[in-house]
Amino acid sequence: MPTEPTVQHSRSSGAFACPRLCRAQPAAAPVIDRDIHLARALLVDNNPLLRSVAGAQLRDAGVGHLVMASSVKDARLMIERERFDIILCNREFEGSDESGQDLLDELRREHLLPHSTVFLMVTARASYHQVVEAGEAALDGLLIRPYSAAALIERLTEARQRKAQLADVLRALDAGENEVALARAMKRYQDRLPFATYCGRLVAELFLTMHRAQDSQRMFEHLAAARSSSWARLGIARAQMARSDLGGARKTLQAILQDEPNCADAHELQGRLLIEQSDHEGALAACQRAAELTPGCMLRVQQAGTLAYYQGKAVPALQWLSRAVSMGTQSRLFDPQTFVLLALLKHDNADTSGVAAVREQLRRYGERQAPDARLQRMQLATAVLDGLMGSDLKPALLGLQSLGDAATQDDFDLEAANLLLALLHRVPDAHRSEARLDSTIKRLALRFCTSKAVTEVLLAHAGRAEPAAQIIRQCQSQVGAIAEAAMDLSLQGQPGPAVAQLLEAGERTLNAKLLDMARGLAERQKAKLPDAAVLIERATARLRAVSVGRHALVGGGASNRTPGGLTLLSRAQAPSASATPTALAVSMATVSPATAGAVYASDQATA
C-alpha cells in the first residue's frame, strides 16, 4: 500500500538525520505472516553478487517463489506478464540511465502494479532529496545498503500489514466499486486511523474520477495545508484543470516549480496545460525538461520527441524518438506511433534505407501484437512513405486512397487523421489531384476541427503548407459558423431548429463538437422540446460511435498518465458527473483543515 516510506539505515553507512526514518535495530528475524510462502517475489538488481545476497534473504524470509531481473527493461516486461506480491528493486543501475524510481513511476501510472503489491526500493545512498522523492512516489519502504536480513523482513512485514489493514478499501477498488472505496477511505481519514493521509489522497483522486473536481480540490487543499507535499499541490492544479480554471492551475504550477524546480511531474503537467492553452513552444520546453529529469521514463521520452516533431524541430525529435526505440519496443508502454514519426523524419532527410529499416522494425513489432486496426494503419503508412521514395508512385498513391476512404468510418480517429495529413503533405505536387488531396483534407478538417488546439495539431501534420493550411482554416471557420448560427437560433427562442441544424451538420461531418452541442442544447431545452429525449439519444448514440481518439500532442498515445497523481486500479468506469454516490455517507463539508492537521500528526505517530 503506498504510504510514507519506512527507511532502514545501517550504522556502518554513516549518520542520516531525518525524523521520518526508522532505524533498524539488530534483532532476530520476525515471522512475516502465515501466507508468505505463497508470495511471488521479483528481485531487480544488475549486480550479480548483491542480487544473490538479496535473493537468499528473501528465501530465508519464507518467500515461496522468487524471480530475478538484471535490468529495468527486463523487470518491466516481467511485471507486464506476471503478477507479483513483492518487488524488491535497486534504485541505481550502474551504466544505465534508467532507475528503480523510473520503473515504479511508470508501473503506477500505467496501472501495471496492483494495490496489493509491496514495492520496496534499495539504494546505496540516501540524501534528504532521495527520501522525499521516495515518499512522493508512495513507496512501501526504502532500504539503505548495507542492510541486514532482519531489516528487510521488518520492512516487508510492516508493508504487508498495511495492505491487510486497508484490505476493505483495496477490495472495493479492485472490484470497481469506487463509491464504496471512497466512503471507506473517507471514514478512515475522518476517524484519524492509521494511514489516514493516504486515504485522504485516495478520496481526492476518486472525486476526480467521478467528475467532482471542486470536491477534489478541497480535499487536496486540506492535505496540502497539513503537509506541504508536491503531490498535494499538483493535485490542486489537476483539479483546477478539471474545472477549466487554467489560469489558476498555471499559477499553482508556477509556485510549485519556484519551490521545486526539479519536480518532473510539475513540468509534465505544465506541458499539458500549455498544450490546452495552445502554447506549444512552452509545452515542448516543459516536456523536454521532464524527460531530462527522468531519462529512464519511456513515456516522457516519447512525449518530448512527439512534441519536438510537431514543432518542426527535426533534430531533437529524431534524437528523442530514437532513444525511445532503444529503450525497448517490447514493453507495453512503447507506442508504435514512435515508429511512424521516425519514418516521417527519415523521409524528410531523404534517408531511403532509414525509412525501410523503420518499416521493418514496425513489421517485427506487429508480429508480436494482436491484430489491430491502428497498427495496420501505421504499417500501411510506412509502406506509403517507402513507396513515395521510389520511382513508381502508383502503389503509394493507392495506399493513400485506401486510407482516405477509411476517413468516413466511425473508428477513424484524430491520430489516424493526423497520420493521413502527414502523408498527403509529402505527396509531390504533380500528383496532387491524383491523390485527391484537397477533398480528403477537407473531409478530415470538417470532422476533426473541434477546438483551436486540435486545429493546430492538424495544421502541424499538414506541414502548415498551402493550400492544405488554408483548407483546414476554412473548415474550422465553417464549423464555428454552424455552431454560432445554431446558438443564435436558440437565443431567438427556436431551440428545435437549432438542435436540428447541429445534428444534421454533426451527422454529415461526424464532428464531435457539433454533436455534443446538439446534445447539450437539447438537454438544456427539455421543457421546450417535446422530442428532447429522442434528440438527446440520437446525438449521444452518434457521439458514442464516432471516435475522436487521443490528443496527439500529448505524445505516448497509449498512456493515460496523471502526473503527480495516485494510480487507481479500479476496473469500473467512473460515474457520470450527474451521478450521486449513494454509498457516500460523508461530505467534504465535514472535513476541516484542522482535521487534516490532526490526521497528519496521527500518521507521524503511526508511520
Side-chain angles (χ1 to χ4, degrees):
M1 174 60 49
T3 61
E4 299 78 2
T6 302
V7 183
Q8 180 270 337
H9 191 277
S10 170
R11 294 180 184 274
S12 62
S13 58
F16 186 78
C18 179
R20 301 279 309 282
L21 302 182
C22 297
R23 297 179 183 270
Q25 301 299 323
V31 176
I32 295 181
D33 55 62
R34 64 182 181 181
D35 295 324
I36 191 64
H37 66 287
L38 301 174
R40 302 176 66 84
L42 172 63
L43 173 58
V44 191
D45 197 319
N46 64 345
N47 185 306
L49 176 60
L50 296 177
R51 193 166 62 242
S52 175
V53 171
Q57 290 173 335
L58 286 171
R59 290 190 185 95
D60 290 344
V63 173
H65 180 81
L66 178 62
V67 177
M68 298 186 185
S70 60
S71 70
V72 170
K73 176 182 174 181
D74 291 342
R76 186 186 293 120
L77 293 173
M78 290 179 181
I79 293 167
E80 289 173 3
R81 297 167 183 165
E82 182 179 354
R83 178 167 178 153
F84 293 97
D85 302 296
I86 301 165
I87 297 176
L88 180 64
C89 181
N90 198 36
R91 189 182 189 280
E92 300 86 14
F93 283 76
E94 186 177 351
S96 172
D97 287 334
E98 293 189 308
S99 70
Q101 190 69 50
D102 294 335
L103 175 64
L104 175 61
D105 289 345
E106 289 207 69
L107 293 176
R108 290 212 183 281
R109 287 170 181 145
E110 296 310 308
H111 295 205
L112 296 176
L113 195 64
H115 286 112
S116 57
T117 298
V118 172
F119 196 112
L120 299 178
M121 193 87 77
V122 179
T123 181
R125 51 190 180 271
S127 65
Y128 179 77
H129 171 76
Q130 288 173 325
V131 174
V132 171
E133 184 183 57
E136 297 302 305
L139 269 177
D140 290 310
L142 181 64
L143 289 158
I144 303 171
R145 191 175 277 127
Y147 60 86
S148 66
L152 170 61
I153 293 174
E154 182 181 349
R155 301 301 170 258
L156 197 50
T157 301
E158 291 170 352
R160 286 174 67 88
Q161 285 175 349
R162 286 194 290 268
K163 306 291 184 185
Q165 285 200 30
L166 298 177
D168 60 338
V169 178
L170 294 182
R171 280 195 301 269
L173 284 174
D174 290 339
E177 299 171 348
N178 286 1
E179 296 170 11
V180 175
L182 189 150
R184 289 172 178 172
M186 179 70 90
K187 187 175 189 306
R188 292 190 69 91
Y189 182 82
Q190 291 178 311
D191 290 348
R192 308 181 189 181
L193 297 177
F195 320 116
T197 298
Y198 170 75
C199 288
R201 186 178 183 183
L202 178 59
V203 166
E205 295 289 350
L206 285 170
F207 275 138
L208 270 182
T209 67
M210 295 174 177
H211 308 292
R212 298 174 59 180
Q214 189 167 357
D215 286 338
S216 176
Q217 183 174 339
R218 287 200 197 103
M219 176 59 86
F220 277 125
E221 286 171 348
H222 295 155
L223 292 165
R227 49 170 36 176
S228 183
S229 297
S230 61
W231 60 258
R233 299 168 74 189
L234 282 166
I236 294 171
R238 291 166 50 227
Q240 289 169 324
M241 290 175 66
R243 296 177 59 203
S244 298
D245 180 10
L246 301 187
R250 191 163 186 168
K251 289 180 181 177
T252 300
L253 288 170
Q254 287 172 344
I256 295 172
L257 288 171
Q258 185 174 356
D259 296 338
E260 302 177 60
N262 290 332
C263 180
D265 280 334
H267 284 288
E268 183 182 351
L269 192 59
Q270 185 182 55
R272 296 190 176 202
L273 172 63
L274 294 175
I275 287 172
E276 294 300 320
Q277 295 183 321
S278 298
D279 181 0
H280 300 143
E281 194 70 31
L284 173 59
C287 290
Q288 284 186 332
R289 182 58 181 150
E292 290 165 356
L293 289 167
T294 55
C297 181
M298 178 184 291
L299 294 171
R300 283 178 176 152
V301 169
Q302 289 180 125
Q303 185 180 69
T306 302
L307 276 167
Y309 170 82
Y310 294 142
Q311 287 302 100
K313 301 185 184 300
V315 173
L318 192 59
Q319 292 173 343
W320 284 113
L321 295 170
S322 298
R323 177 170 184 167
V325 171
S326 69
M327 292 173 69
T329 62
Q330 292 185 337
S331 171
R332 280 195 320 205
L333 306 183
F334 178 81
D335 187 351
Q337 182 191 31
T338 299
F339 284 133
V340 179
L341 298 184
L342 275 174
L344 291 168
L345 289 166
K346 291 180 183 293
H347 171 277
D348 295 346
N349 289 337
D351 184 358
T352 304
S353 60
V355 172
V358 172
R359 182 183 178 189
E360 175 61 18
Q361 285 179 302
L362 181 57
R363 185 193 66 77
R364 292 200 302 266
Y365 175 88
E367 289 178 346
R368 302 193 300 268
Q369 310 299 319
D372 177 81
R374 177 179 182 240
L375 192 55
Q376 290 171 356
R377 272 196 296 262
M378 291 179 176
Q379 291 172 329
L380 179 56
T382 56
V384 167
L385 275 176
D386 205 1
L388 289 175
M389 302 187 78
S391 56
D392 182 8
L393 300 189
K394 187 174 181 180
L397 296 177
L398 288 174
L400 274 175
Q401 289 177 12
S402 176
L403 284 170
D405 292 340
T408 58
Q409 298 174 1
D410 284 350
D411 66 349
F412 193 89
D413 61 9
L414 176 60
E415 181 185 74
N418 289 328
L419 178 55
L420 181 52
L421 283 171
L423 295 173
L424 294 173
H425 170 56
R426 287 160 175 81
V427 173
D429 289 341
H431 297 271
R432 188 176 188 88
S433 60
E434 189 179 352
R436 300 181 295 185
L437 263 69
D438 293 354
S439 60
T440 302
I441 292 170
K442 183 177 180 180
R443 184 188 311 142
L444 295 174
L446 283 175
R447 176 170 180 175
F448 292 105
C449 281
T450 56
S451 68
K452 183 179 178 181
V454 173
T455 299
E456 287 298 317
V457 175
L458 299 176
L459 288 168
H461 274 281
R464 303 186 185 277
E466 302 298 349
Q470 182 180 2
I471 294 172
I472 293 171
R473 291 192 180 96
Q474 287 175 346
C475 290
Q476 181 191 24
S477 298
Q478 186 176 337
V479 171
I482 293 170
E484 187 176 345
M487 290 302 99
D488 286 344
L489 278 175
S490 179
L491 291 173
Q492 294 168 14
Q494 303 181 60
V499 173
Q501 283 189 16
L502 289 168
L503 266 177
E504 185 280 327
E507 291 173 335
R508 173 169 45 83
T509 64
L510 302 182
N511 187 285
K513 173 184 177 179
L514 299 178
L515 291 169
D516 191 49
M517 288 183 66
R519 179 179 62 178
L521 183 57
E523 287 177 341
R524 291 193 300 271
Q525 300 290 342
K526 279 182 181 179
K528 299 180 181 179
L529 295 173
D531 56 346
V534 174
L535 293 172
I536 292 170
E537 176 55 34
R538 178 178 158 189
T540 301
R542 287 308 294 142
L543 267 174
R544 198 180 296 122
V546 174
S547 176
V548 175
R550 64 202 83 218
H551 194 321
L553 273 179
V554 171
S559 171
N560 225 355
R561 294 159 55 104
T562 53
L566 183 65
T567 298
L568 304 180
L569 305 180
S570 172
R571 288 194 289 265
Q573 294 294 323
S576 66
S578 58
T580 301
T582 55
L584 181 59
V586 290
S587 70
M588 286 302 302
T590 64
V591 185
S592 66
T595 298
V599 168
Y600 174 60
S602 174
D603 274 359
Q604 290 290 80
T606 58

